CSV table of all heavy atoms in Angstrom, one decimal:
chain,number,residue,atom,x,y,z
A,11,MET,N,49.8,-43.0,-39.2
A,11,MET,CA,48.5,-42.2,-39.3
A,11,MET,C,48.8,-40.8,-38.8
A,11,MET,O,49.6,-40.6,-37.8
A,11,MET,CB,47.4,-42.9,-38.5
A,11,MET,CG,46.1,-42.2,-38.6
A,11,MET,SD,44.9,-43.3,-37.9
A,11,MET,CE,43.5,-42.2,-38.0
A,12,TYR,N,48.2,-39.8,-39.5
A,12,TYR,CA,48.5,-38.4,-39.1
A,12,TYR,C,47.2,-37.7,-38.8
A,12,TYR,O,46.2,-37.9,-39.5
A,12,TYR,CB,49.2,-37.7,-40.2
A,12,TYR,CG,50.6,-38.3,-40.4
A,12,TYR,CD1,50.8,-39.3,-41.3
A,12,TYR,CD2,51.7,-37.7,-39.7
A,12,TYR,CE1,52.1,-39.8,-41.5
A,12,TYR,CE2,53.0,-38.3,-39.9
A,12,TYR,CZ,53.2,-39.3,-40.8
A,12,TYR,OH,54.4,-39.8,-41.0
A,13,PHE,N,47.2,-36.8,-37.9
A,13,PHE,CA,46.1,-35.9,-37.5
A,13,PHE,C,46.5,-34.5,-37.8
A,13,PHE,O,47.6,-34.1,-37.4
A,13,PHE,CB,45.7,-36.1,-36.1
A,13,PHE,CG,45.3,-37.5,-35.8
A,13,PHE,CD1,46.2,-38.4,-35.4
A,13,PHE,CD2,44.0,-37.9,-35.9
A,13,PHE,CE1,45.9,-39.8,-35.1
A,13,PHE,CE2,43.6,-39.2,-35.6
A,13,PHE,CZ,44.5,-40.1,-35.2
A,49,GLY,N,45.9,-41.7,-43.5
A,49,GLY,CA,46.8,-42.8,-43.2
A,49,GLY,C,46.1,-44.0,-42.5
A,49,GLY,O,46.8,-45.0,-42.2
A,52,GLN,N,46.3,-47.6,-44.3
A,52,GLN,CA,47.5,-48.3,-44.1
A,52,GLN,C,47.6,-48.9,-42.7
A,52,GLN,O,48.0,-50.1,-42.6
A,52,GLN,CB,48.7,-47.4,-44.4
A,52,GLN,CG,50.0,-48.1,-44.5
A,52,GLN,CD,50.7,-48.5,-43.1
A,52,GLN,OE1,50.5,-47.8,-42.2
A,52,GLN,NE2,51.4,-49.6,-43.1
A,53,MET,N,47.1,-48.2,-41.7
A,53,MET,CA,47.1,-48.8,-40.4
A,53,MET,C,46.3,-50.0,-40.2
A,53,MET,O,46.7,-51.0,-39.6
A,53,MET,CB,46.6,-47.7,-39.4
A,53,MET,CG,47.6,-46.6,-39.1
A,53,MET,SD,49.0,-47.2,-38.1
A,53,MET,CE,49.7,-45.6,-37.8
A,72,ALA,N,50.1,-34.4,-36.0
A,72,ALA,CA,50.4,-35.3,-34.9
A,72,ALA,C,50.5,-36.7,-35.6
A,72,ALA,O,49.7,-37.0,-36.4
A,72,ALA,CB,49.3,-35.4,-33.8
A,73,LYS,N,51.5,-37.5,-35.2
A,73,LYS,CA,51.7,-38.8,-35.8
A,73,LYS,C,51.4,-39.9,-34.8
A,73,LYS,O,51.8,-39.9,-33.7
A,73,LYS,CB,53.2,-38.9,-36.2
A,73,LYS,CG,53.5,-40.2,-36.9
A,73,LYS,CD,55.0,-40.2,-37.2
A,73,LYS,CE,55.4,-41.6,-37.8
A,73,LYS,NZ,56.8,-41.6,-38.1
A,74,LEU,N,50.6,-40.9,-35.3
A,74,LEU,CA,50.4,-42.1,-34.5
A,74,LEU,C,51.1,-43.2,-35.2
A,74,LEU,O,50.8,-43.6,-36.4
A,74,LEU,CB,48.8,-42.4,-34.5
A,74,LEU,CG,48.4,-43.6,-33.7
A,74,LEU,CD1,48.7,-43.5,-32.2
A,74,LEU,CD2,46.9,-43.8,-33.9
A,75,THR,N,52.1,-43.8,-34.6
A,75,THR,CA,52.9,-44.9,-35.1
A,75,THR,C,52.1,-46.2,-35.2
A,75,THR,O,51.1,-46.3,-34.5
A,75,THR,CB,54.2,-45.1,-34.4
A,75,THR,OG1,53.9,-45.6,-33.1
A,75,THR,CG2,55.0,-43.9,-34.3
A,76,TYR,N,52.5,-47.1,-36.0
A,76,TYR,CA,51.8,-48.4,-36.1
A,76,TYR,C,51.8,-49.1,-34.7
A,76,TYR,O,50.8,-49.7,-34.3
A,76,TYR,CB,52.5,-49.3,-37.2
A,76,TYR,CG,51.8,-50.6,-37.4
A,76,TYR,CD1,50.5,-50.6,-38.0
A,76,TYR,CD2,52.3,-51.8,-36.9
A,76,TYR,CE1,49.8,-51.7,-38.3
A,76,TYR,CE2,51.6,-53.0,-37.1
A,76,TYR,CZ,50.4,-52.9,-37.8
A,76,TYR,OH,49.7,-54.1,-38.0
A,77,SER,N,52.9,-49.2,-34.0
A,77,SER,CA,52.9,-49.8,-32.7
A,77,SER,C,52.0,-49.2,-31.7
A,77,SER,O,51.3,-49.8,-30.9
A,77,SER,CB,54.3,-50.0,-32.2
A,77,SER,OG,54.9,-48.7,-31.9
A,78,ASP,N,52.0,-47.8,-31.7
A,78,ASP,CA,51.0,-47.1,-30.8
A,78,ASP,C,49.6,-47.4,-31.3
A,78,ASP,O,48.7,-47.5,-30.4
A,78,ASP,CB,51.3,-45.6,-30.9
A,78,ASP,CG,52.6,-45.3,-30.1
A,78,ASP,OD1,53.0,-46.1,-29.3
A,78,ASP,OD2,53.1,-44.2,-30.4
A,79,TYR,N,49.3,-47.5,-32.6
A,79,TYR,CA,48.0,-47.8,-33.1
A,79,TYR,C,47.6,-49.2,-32.6
A,79,TYR,O,46.4,-49.3,-32.1
A,79,TYR,CB,48.0,-47.7,-34.6
A,79,TYR,CG,46.7,-48.3,-35.2
A,79,TYR,CD1,45.5,-47.5,-35.1
A,79,TYR,CD2,46.6,-49.5,-35.7
A,79,TYR,CE1,44.3,-48.0,-35.7
A,79,TYR,CE2,45.4,-50.0,-36.3
A,79,TYR,CZ,44.3,-49.3,-36.2
A,79,TYR,OH,43.1,-49.8,-36.7
A,80,LYS,N,48.4,-50.2,-32.7
A,80,LYS,CA,48.1,-51.5,-32.2
A,80,LYS,C,47.8,-51.5,-30.7
A,80,LYS,O,46.9,-52.2,-30.2
A,80,LYS,CB,49.2,-52.5,-32.5
A,80,LYS,CG,49.2,-52.9,-34.0
A,80,LYS,CD,47.9,-53.5,-34.3
A,80,LYS,CE,47.8,-54.1,-35.7
A,80,LYS,NZ,46.5,-54.6,-36.1
A,81,ASN,N,48.6,-50.8,-29.9
A,81,ASN,CA,48.3,-50.6,-28.5
A,81,ASN,C,47.0,-50.0,-28.2
A,81,ASN,O,46.2,-50.4,-27.3
A,81,ASN,CB,49.4,-49.8,-27.8
A,81,ASN,CG,50.7,-50.6,-27.7
A,81,ASN,OD1,50.8,-51.8,-27.7
A,81,ASN,ND2,51.8,-49.9,-27.6
A,82,LEU,N,46.7,-49.0,-29.0
A,82,LEU,CA,45.4,-48.2,-28.8
A,82,LEU,C,44.2,-49.2,-29.1
A,82,LEU,O,43.3,-49.2,-28.3
A,82,LEU,CB,45.4,-47.0,-29.8
A,82,LEU,CG,44.1,-46.2,-29.8
A,82,LEU,CD1,43.9,-45.5,-28.5
A,82,LEU,CD2,44.1,-45.2,-30.9
A,83,VAL,N,44.2,-49.9,-30.2
A,83,VAL,CA,43.1,-50.7,-30.6
A,83,VAL,C,43.1,-52.0,-29.7
A,83,VAL,O,42.0,-52.6,-29.6
A,83,VAL,CB,43.0,-51.1,-32.1
A,83,VAL,CG1,42.8,-49.8,-32.9
A,83,VAL,CG2,44.2,-51.9,-32.5
A,89,TYR,N,37.6,-48.4,-31.5
A,89,TYR,CA,38.3,-47.3,-32.3
A,89,TYR,C,38.5,-47.9,-33.7
A,89,TYR,O,38.3,-47.2,-34.7
A,89,TYR,CB,39.6,-46.8,-31.7
A,89,TYR,CG,40.2,-45.7,-32.5
A,89,TYR,CD1,39.7,-44.5,-32.6
A,89,TYR,CD2,41.4,-46.0,-33.1
A,89,TYR,CE1,40.3,-43.5,-33.3
A,89,TYR,CE2,42.0,-45.0,-33.9
A,89,TYR,CZ,41.4,-43.7,-34.0
A,89,TYR,OH,42.0,-42.8,-34.7
Side-chain angles (χ1 to χ4, degrees):
M11 183 172 176
Y12 296 90
F13 300 87
Q52 192 278 328
M53 286 288 188
K73 178 181 178 181
L74 180 65
T75 65
Y76 184 73
S77 62
D78 288 339
Y79 171 76
K80 283 301 187 185
N81 289 335
L82 177 68
V83 298
Y89 182 69

